[in-house]
Amino acid sequence: MAGFERLLAHLAATAAAPEVRRALQAPGWAEVPFRAEHAGIALTGRIDRLWLDADAGGFVVSDWKSDALRGRRPEQVAGEHAAQLHAYAWAAHGVLVARGRPGVVRTDVILTEVGATVAVGGPIAQGDGSVTGLLELAAATSAVPWSVVERAA
């Protein structure tokens, strides 16, 4: 299948997927820019879709990915993006909860090649230390003079 026809087929499969339609029809926002700081390090990005899943009682961070599966299972391909989505969820959760809204209950990767939605993470807990720990490590590392890094290598 030629490139353009393949793209159209992917878009049709994705648009026909019930999970995708549900995410697009639910209350929420698209292309949500964010900037969250911790330990002097800024985390920035753009959430493809942040939507309210009323059945789950909170918001879902959804990210569109056009990765080719190349014989891999959708869960494997989606899992490669888990850290990115967890960081996005951490940032969104803090803003949502601070504004009195429900927090993030799930992160999904939407694989456009096959029109599949794959959940890659669950609820973000208040005080989730995985992202803050990473940002603290980045802050500590950035404070080290380059000459020290060169000597250590």
Side-chain angles (χ1 to χ4, degrees):
M1 183 182 304
F4 186 68
E5 286 100 17
R6 196 173 117 222
L7 173 64
L8 289 177
H10 293 180
L11 291 173
T14 301
E19 302 91 0
V20 172
R21 286 198 316 268
R22 181 170 179 243
L24 292 175
Q25 292 170 354
W29 306 274
E31 295 296 320
V32 181
F34 70 87
R35 183 177 196 275
E37 290 188 32
H38 180 79
I41 299 292
L43 178 65
T44 64
R46 186 173 299 272
I47 299 169
D48 289 345
R49 179 82 175 136
L50 180 62
W51 59 281
L52 180 62
D53 183 344
D55 295 338
F59 284 86
V60 177
V61 170
S62 294
D63 200 55
W64 304 88
K65 295 296 181 189
S66 59
D67 301 28
L69 270 64
R70 296 189 174 104
R72 298 175 294 166
R73 293 185 352 257
E75 296 79 12
Q76 180 183 359
V77 175
E80 294 170 1
H81 302 284
Q84 173 196 358
L85 266 73
H86 187 75
Y88 285 13
W90 171 80
H93 184 83
V95 171
L96 291 165
V97 170
R99 293 184 178 178
R101 293 188 163 255
V104 174
V105 295
R106 189 175 73 249
T107 58
D108 291 343
V109 171
I110 300 169
L111 298 168
T112 60
E113 182 181 25
V114 292
T117 299
V118 181
V120 294
I124 301 297
Q126 283 293 91
D128 182 311
S130 60
V131 175
T132 55
L134 182 60
L135 293 174
E136 288 165 7
L137 178 61
T141 303
S142 69
V144 175
W146 184 246
S147 60
V148 173
V149 174
E150 287 180 313
R151 281 195 303 272

